[in-house]
Amino acid sequence: MEEILQFFDAHPDALPLYDKFEKCVTEHVPEARIKVQKTQISFYNRHMFACVSFARVRKKKDCPDSYIVVTFGLDHRAVSPRIDIATEPYPNRWTHHVLISELSEIDDELIAWVEEAACFSDRK
């Protein structure tokens, strides 16, 4: 927990967003392991399936004061206005970035994507 607090040291207002996200992920993907790194907090099963960061996915003027970016990988492109950026770094491997600034945005749709990402990661 100390590592997580340090990660959010410069962004303390975003910690409740992360706390809710972590709780939801660990409820739906109980085998998930969490690794705090310098620029992201990663969620793993066999491989990394999601992470939380402060990546710039929008122009600064379009970013809220407090937010996290949830990134997850799927074998297809998920289409939603919620997804800020989707790229295909490898064939049939899509990386999606979603900016979250409200607790209500950590919802069934987001967690379903993360669960799907965990299943995809586990099959690799």
Side-chain angles (χ1 to χ4, degrees):
M1 184 62 175
E2 182 65 31
E3 290 176 306
I4 292 170
L5 291 176
Q6 288 177 346
F7 184 85
F8 284 94
D9 195 39
H11 306 275
D13 293 345
L15 185 57
L17 296 169
Y18 172 79
D19 286 341
K20 182 175 180 183
F21 180 75
E22 179 188 305
K23 183 176 186 277
C24 289
V25 171
T26 56
E27 284 175 2
H28 290 84
V29 187
E31 72 277 9
R33 296 181 326 279
I34 299 167
K35 182 177 179 183
V36 180
Q37 298 165 291
K38 186 174 181 177
T39 59
Q40 67 187 33
I41 299 174
S42 304
F43 293 80
Y44 290 85
N45 48 25
R46 287 183 55 199
H47 304 281
M48 185 174 73
F49 63 86
C51 70
V52 169
S53 70
F54 300 108
R56 182 71 56 83
V57 296
R58 296 180 187 167
K59 292 180 179 173
K60 186 171 178 116
K61 68 179 180 67
D62 296 330
C63 288
D65 291 336
S66 181
Y67 68 91
I68 59 174
V69 173
V70 173
T71 301
F72 56 90
L74 301 174
D75 64 355
H76 65 279
R77 182 180 189 150
V79 178
S80 169
R82 298 178 64 181
I83 296 172
D84 287 278
I85 298 172
T87 60
E88 188 179 21
Y90 303 101
N92 302 315
R93 191 176 301 172
W94 286 86
T95 302
H96 303 77
H97 304 279
V98 180
L99 188 145
I100 303 293
S101 62
E102 301 288 334
L103 290 171
S104 62
E105 294 172 323
I106 302 167
D107 59 7
D108 292 342
E109 181 179 47
L110 179 68
I111 298 306
W113 286 328
V114 172
E115 282 184 288
E116 186 179 352
C119 289
F120 174 56
S121 169
D122 207 35
R123 289 192 312 263
K124 287 192 235 172

